[in-house]
Amino acid sequence: MATLLYRLGRFAFRRRHFTALFWVALLALAGVGAAGAPVAGNTSFSIPGTEAQKAFDVLEERFPGASADGATARVVFKAPVGEKMTDAGNKAIVRDTVEELSDGSEVARVTDPYQGGGVSRDGTVAYASVSYQVSGMELEESSRDSLEDAAEGARDAGLTVEIGGDALQAVPETGATEIIGIGVAAVVLVITFGSLVAAGLPLLTALIGVGIGVAGITALASTLELGSTTSILATMIGLAVGIDYALFIVSRYRAELAEGREREDAAGRAVGTAGSAVVFAGLTVVIALVGLSVVNIPMLTKMGIAAAVTVAIAVLIALTMVPALLGYAGRRVRAAGEKGKRRGREAREDEEKGNGTAKGNGTAKEKARRPNMGTRWARFVVRRPVAVLLLGVVGLGAAAIPASSLELGLPDDGSQPTSTTQRRAYDLLSEGFGPGFNGPLVVVVDAKNSDDPDAVFRQTGDDIKALDDVVSVSPAAPNKAGDTATITVVPDSKPSSVATEDLVHDIRDAGTGVKADTGADVLVTGATAMNIDVSQKLNDALVPYLTLVVGLAFLLLIVVFRSILVPLKAALGFLLSVMAALGAVVAVFQWGWLSGLMGVEETGPVMSMMPIFMVGVVFGLAMDYEVFLVTRMREAYVHGEKPDEAVVTGFRHGARVVSAAAVIMMAVFAGFIGSSESMVKMIGFGLAIAVFFDAFVVRMAIVPAVLALLGKKAWWLPKWLDRALPNVDVEGEGLRTEGDADAGEKGGSPDDRDLARV
């Protein structure tokens, strides 16, 4: 592989006009497609194979025209102090508002509080339900404006009015912190390279890659029913890996220049060596993201695949456009350590001249020769591996302790900031009707195969009334055919409580008895039941997902490192970092530690898909640093260095770059903490802290300590397996003579020779 990538790098360097034009044209094409694409349509959340989804499907089939997946809104009214909503004046205000709400072109129906039981027992709170014919994301802005105007009119008349439901759902905003994250990345790149041109290359290529990926997602959003969160996730991961991959290749290019190679050869060798690591690191990220499909939640699958495609684009751009831009940059990208070498030369010249500045410049000379921080740190770890290993493991273990209190759920209006009308409506309904009113359960009774459907409906309602934690059970509402009915159950506890989850299971258990007696199916759905089923489905999928992703990546790393223990150590280190990251997420978003600093206005359960999503993404990113850092150690070991020396060599060449890459990735992820979407905010924080733990604790401390303790055993591989595995040559052994061979070729255009080889 190294030889193939070497030739690809040289070709891109020589044919830089063609390479750059190709990617710019692709970006323009994707942009045109995005600009002309229709607005994304229905992005409803579905969970195949769950009871809640089965009930939802029955509703759509047996109650046509009910707009089961349409947007909903609850307009909540509260009377002034000393008055009640049943007073004649307040009644008139509410009925005028209901009439105004009914005029909307997308409105399916509006329920009058005084006819549908929408007034609280104490008479202080009432609500009107508005159902729309389209989903929240498809709702026209004019319909949202009409909803808010109607509420404002009632406010002007003297009532307190708030609006809940998904009708006001808006595209999440990431805020200015995303730009700040990119700015931090730019500063880190300038410090790392000491050159604006060299620092600009990774940023430029990453932005082009993300632009192509996000524009492609936007262009296909309507066709593939992709949600707005999909493009945000692709941006988050695409920016992070795009900058990092380009950073590693540019760093290797500068190192090759420092060895005295010509620029074209240096570009080829950078792509052949660091590019090989980029390919395998990218593959682990792609495997982790695509592997999310095993959960069988369409939204999660689409998010994973879209992000994986963006990562693949980042890999291809790093392998081709980076060397092309290096060709354009020419001498403006200097060799690594050139400044220090120049200082050393000046010191020697001054000493020879004896001009009185030799002492000061001699200090500069000594500074240029001093081992870098990565070398010093690696030597320290190699001398004290047990102490470093214990400190790292204990520290991550302590950070992981909050994960033992992990509570999972999906966000509702109760998790919104108190400044939002959705949250205030939620609180008013809880005040007037009880905490369970915000999470009603919809029981679907399918009595199509029953001889007496009406009797089945009555029996089901009576069985549910006898259960604990039930406040009210509505009369059965049958469809026109009379073979299916819905029953609304209001729990006594809030939607995210354990008691409500137990009630869902109790209703389903009672439904099993009804089916045994009558043959009718009793299914529980609604947002609360859907959340419970999602959590269960994700929990059940976690072990198979871990097995698939970690297993495939383990096999891939065996091929890369030709070792058993190194991939095993990489996987165990990942488990430590992801558990510590989950602990940090629980501490901030569930316990409320530093919540003000993170902009978390309301604590609550961690999002159900957060653990499995973090496992997938963090595993892929963790393997990035493992591949980039350890391949340099493997390269040194293969070329004859002792195990301890190889660890030091790997850190000498890779520690600064890996540290810079980690800081950049953390900055990019942290930039999304400012998002208005709680899921994006939580993912941004979780990934940022996970990268910190994995890069600076696991890869920078635990990994060299373990390798120092293992010695030669770290690189052991059974002979039969060594013969069976393909030789991908990540270390670039095949490049030792490749440059000379290319230099000696005669006849024909160099461009044509490299193109023919590729």
Side-chain angles (χ1 to χ4, degrees), residues 3 7 15 27 37 97 144 171 191 236 250 255 303 307 319 339 352 411 432 474 483 528 547 552 603 636 671 738 750:
T3 303
R7 293 168 178 168
R15 290 293 185 91
L27 176 62
T97 304
R144 293 192 179 94
V171 176
I191 294 173
M236 185 189 303
V250 173
M303 288 172 62
L319 298 178
K339 187 182 293 184
E352 292 172 0
S474 71
D483 58 5
T528 302
T547 303
L552 287 176
T603 60
E738 182 68 26

Side-chain angles (χ1 to χ4, degrees), residues 381-390 565 643-644 647 701-714:
V381 175
V382 167
R383 287 196 304 268
R384 298 175 178 82
V386 176
V388 172
L389 178 61
L390 288 177
L565 295 179
D644 287 356
V647 171
I702 293 177
V703 165
V706 171
L707 290 177
L709 289 172
L710 290 176
K712 290 185 178 180
K713 295 177 183 177

Side-chain angles (χ1 to χ4, degrees), residues 177-212:
T177 51
E178 178 186 347
I179 306 300
I180 295 174
I182 297 176
V184 172
V187 171
V188 173
L189 287 169
V190 171
I191 294 173
T192 302
F193 291 135
S195 164
L196 287 175
V197 175
L201 290 181
L203 277 176
L204 177 60
T205 54
L207 289 173
I208 291 174
V210 168
I212 294 171

Side-chain angles (χ1 to χ4, degrees), residues 23 32 125 128 133 155 158 211 243 257 267 288 326 467 539 550 567 666:
W23 286 112
V32 170
V125 179
Q133 299 170 358
R155 289 191 191 103
I243 294 173
L257 289 179
L326 289 173
L467 298 175
N539 286 338
V550 177
M666 288 166 56

Side-chain angles (χ1 to χ4, degrees), residues 23-213:
W23 286 112
V24 171
L26 190 58
L27 176 62
L29 183 64
V32 170
V39 177
N42 185 10
T43 56
S44 57
F45 192 78
S46 63
I47 328 162
T50 61
E51 180 173 316
Q53 185 64 44
K54 183 179 178 182
F56 184 84
D57 295 339
V58 170
L59 284 175
E60 285 202 320
E61 177 188 344
R62 306 288 174 82
F63 292 82
S67 301
D69 61 343
T72 59
R74 274 180 171 175
V75 182
V76 187
F77 307 88
K78 184 176 182 180
V81 178
E83 298 182 18
K84 293 189 176 182
M85 291 305 304
T86 52
D87 295 345
N90 293 334
K91 266 189 176 183
I93 295 171
V94 171
R95 283 177 172 158
D96 288 344
T97 304
V98 169
E99 184 177 349
E100 185 178 349
L101 289 170
S102 303
D103 293 337
S105 60
E106 294 180 312
V107 174
R109 60 187 177 278
V110 181
T111 60
D112 188 317
Y114 303 103
Q115 296 177 0
V119 181
S120 64
R121 289 184 179 180
D122 62 4
T124 59
V125 179
Y127 73 93
S129 295
V130 185
S131 300
Y132 292 89
Q133 299 170 358
V134 296
S135 68
M137 295 303 293
E138 293 176 301
L139 202 63
E140 293 182 0
E141 200 61 38
S142 59
S143 295
R144 293 192 179 94
D145 292 340
S146 298
L147 178 62
E148 292 175 338
D149 290 344
E152 190 61 37
R155 289 191 191 103
D156 293 340
L159 298 179
T160 298
V161 187
E162 304 296 346
I163 306 171
D166 62 351
L168 294 183
Q169 179 182 3
V171 176
E173 300 175 356
T174 53
T177 51
E178 178 186 347
I179 306 300
I180 295 174
I182 297 176
V184 172
V187 171
V188 173
L189 287 169
V190 171
I191 294 173
T192 302
F193 291 135
S195 164
L196 287 175
V197 175
L201 290 181
L203 277 176
L204 177 60
T205 54
L207 289 173
I208 291 174
V210 168
I212 294 171

Side-chain angles (χ1 to χ4, degrees), residues 584-607:
V585 169
V586 170
V588 173
F589 290 89
Q590 189 175 308
W591 291 0
W593 293 4
L594 301 177
S595 57
L597 182 62
M598 298 297 166
V600 180
E601 296 186 31
E602 193 67 29
T603 60
V606 173
M607 199 158 311

Side-chain angles (χ1 to χ4, degrees), residues 266-307:
R269 288 177 180 273
V271 175
T273 51
S276 297
V278 165
V279 169
F280 282 100
L283 277 175
T284 60
V285 179
V286 169
I287 288 172
L289 290 170
V290 174
L292 291 170
S293 59
V294 304
V295 183
N296 196 26
I297 295 180
M299 185 186 79
L300 197 59
T301 299
K302 292 172 184 177
M303 288 172 62
I305 292 176

